[in-house]
Amino acid sequence: MQALLISRVGSLRSFATTTRHQMKNKVREHQKLFQADNDLPVHLKGGIMDALLYQFTMIIAIGGSCYSVFSLVKAAFPKKNK
């Protein structure tokens, strides 16, 4: 019975709302980074990862637009059966 009670208390402690390791608040650092006047658009101020995500998003958007126009043209001019 004692082992069951200890197990129950241990499981309750693992779901506690307080954290054991406090994370450092980085809001001030990010505010300085994004409010700096360095002639970069805000979506590219985060560094190389932001640039890669932006380029990937643009490739997907342009590719999807081209494919949708291709599909519309293909549907507008169906193949002729002989």
Side-chain angles (χ1 to χ4, degrees):
M1 186 68 176
Q2 185 71 15
L4 183 61
L5 188 60
I6 290 172
S7 172
R8 183 175 169 263
V9 171
S11 66
L12 289 176
R13 283 190 188 144
S14 66
F15 292 111
T17 58
T18 60
T19 59
R20 292 183 184 172
H21 305 288
Q22 295 293 327
M23 294 178 63
K24 183 180 175 188
N25 190 355
K26 297 182 181 180
V27 174
R28 297 250 186 232
E29 296 170 15
H30 287 301
Q31 283 178 340
K32 288 179 185 176
L33 175 71
F34 286 102
Q35 291 177 354
D37 187 21
N38 55 3
D39 294 330
L40 283 176
V42 71
H43 60 273
L44 296 178
K45 286 189 177 187
I48 188 75
M49 194 62 188
D50 280 352
L52 290 174
L53 286 172
Y54 175 73
Q55 290 174 355
F56 178 71
T57 303
M58 286 299 112
I59 289 170
I60 296 296
I62 292 169
S65 299
C66 291
Y67 184 72
S68 65
V69 169
F70 170 75
S71 297
L72 286 171
V73 169
K74 188 176 176 181
F77 302 108
K79 293 182 180 179
K80 295 180 183 178
N81 292 333
K82 289 186 179 184

